[in-house]
Amino acid sequence: AQTIHQWPVAEIKAVGSPLSLGCTIKGKSSPNLYWYWQATGGTLQQLFYSITVGQVESVVQLNLSASRPKDDQFILSTEKLLLSHSGFYLCAWSLDWGGNTGQLYFGEGSKLTVL
Amino acid sequence: QQQVRQSPQSLTVWEGETAILNCSYEDSTFDYFPWYHQFPGESPALLIAIRPVSNKKEDGRFTIFFNKREKKFSLHIADSQPGDSATYFCAASASNYQLIWGSGTKLIIKP
């Protein structure tokens, strides 16, 4: 069975400090990977997607970057946090896109509070 | 325009009634329309999805009605149960690995 694990579960960080969030997918080879941001009680905003190792596409510019150093690993980071970065970060994977195989499977999420 | 509008923002129905959630879009290139639900403290999970080749998709008590001409789609939850209480998100996508999400409907089912 496929599992997706995000770390850390929660972080409290100061404005201007760096951040690194991680996501690991086990049991699935070469998945499509995605990073999403969700404000408390709000909608989801897609941040990045990656179809293959080493290649990451940005969807919106929020002073964040992402990398896929391994097939099963997706990293979200920034060198300088802003207050607006607070929220819930969700990693997701899919087999394919659209149709019957485009289903997104989300991780448990990482809650970020920037003070 | 890459936007999906969702209404209502919140909806309360009695157990056993049909809940109707609505979405609309403008981009004609969208060709995949999923609905996700999210329970408090949990991550979103796919409920049901449709492609424009159909105007209706059923899965048990959940039905998507799709109107390509008016660029609208809706989720009907028949025989609503208290366990259906959650936030429901519609979304839309063209074939480019990007999902555009609606703003969500918080659904409360009263017993």
Side-chain angles (χ1 to χ4, degrees):
Chain A
Q2 302 84 20
T3 60
I4 178 170
H5 174 62
Q6 286 188 242
W7 74 91
V9 172
E11 279 261 52
I12 299 175
K13 303 277 279 186
V15 169
S17 63
L19 172 76
S20 181
L21 302 177
C23 171
T24 299
I25 294 86
K26 295 299 182 188
K28 181 53 63 181
S29 172
S30 302
N32 298 326
L33 298 176
Y34 311 84
W35 276 113
Y36 277 87
W37 175 81
Q38 184 177 30
T40 303
T43 190
L44 285 88
Q45 171 65 62
Q46 187 173 345
L47 303 174
F48 300 93
Y49 67 92
S50 171
I51 302 169
T52 189
V53 174
Q55 290 188 15
V56 177
E57 301 295 332
S58 172
V59 176
V60 291
Q61 275 301 328
L62 289 177
N63 292 308
L64 295 167
S65 60
S67 65
R68 186 171 178 178
K70 302 178 187 177
D71 186 51
D72 63 354
Q73 197 173 75
F74 209 16
I75 307 295
L76 183 71
S77 60
T78 182
E79 293 185 1
K80 244 181 188 182
L81 279 166
L82 307 172
L83 283 174
S84 57
H85 286 137
S86 291
F88 201 47
Y89 288 84
L90 290 157
C91 179
W93 69 271
S94 74
L95 268 178
D96 202 330
W97 188 252
N100 294 323
T101 56
Q103 178 174 349
L104 290 175
Y105 298 89
F106 287 91
E108 315 95 337
S110 295
K111 184 176 180 180
L112 175 65
T113 303
V114 182
L115 302 173
Chain B
Q1 282 215 0
Q2 295 247 313
Q3 202 172 11
V4 175
R5 292 187 173 84
Q6 186 169 353
S7 64
Q9 188 174 7
S10 64
L11 176 66
T12 300
V13 302
W14 292 102
E15 182 176 358
E17 292 184 335
T18 296
I20 300 175
L21 291 65
N22 300 297
C23 286
S24 65
Y25 64 98
E26 295 176 7
D27 191 333
S28 300
T29 64
F30 286 156
D31 63 357
Y32 174 63
F33 301 88
W35 283 89
Y36 281 76
H37 59 177
Q38 185 175 27
F39 296 99
E42 295 185 13
S43 300
L46 180 69
L47 183 60
I48 187 172
I50 194 169
R51 286 212 170 236
V53 292
S54 306
N55 56 20
K56 183 179 175 182
K57 176 84 174 285
E58 284 181 272
D59 185 356
R61 296 185 295 109
F62 302 92
T63 303
I64 299 177
F65 290 94
F66 185 81
N67 186 322
K68 187 174 182 178
R69 184 179 60 83
E70 294 187 8
K71 295 181 181 175
K72 293 180 179 179
F73 58 111
S74 60
L75 175 69
H76 292 223
I77 305 174
D79 188 25
S80 298
Q81 304 296 311
D84 294 330
S85 297
T87 299
Y88 290 77
F89 293 97
C90 63
S93 173
S95 300
N96 59 355
Y97 300 92
Q98 295 181 41
L99 263 183
I100 310 299
W101 295 70
S103 52
T105 296
K106 185 174 182 179
L107 176 65
I108 297 171
I109 309 298
K110 285 192 170 180

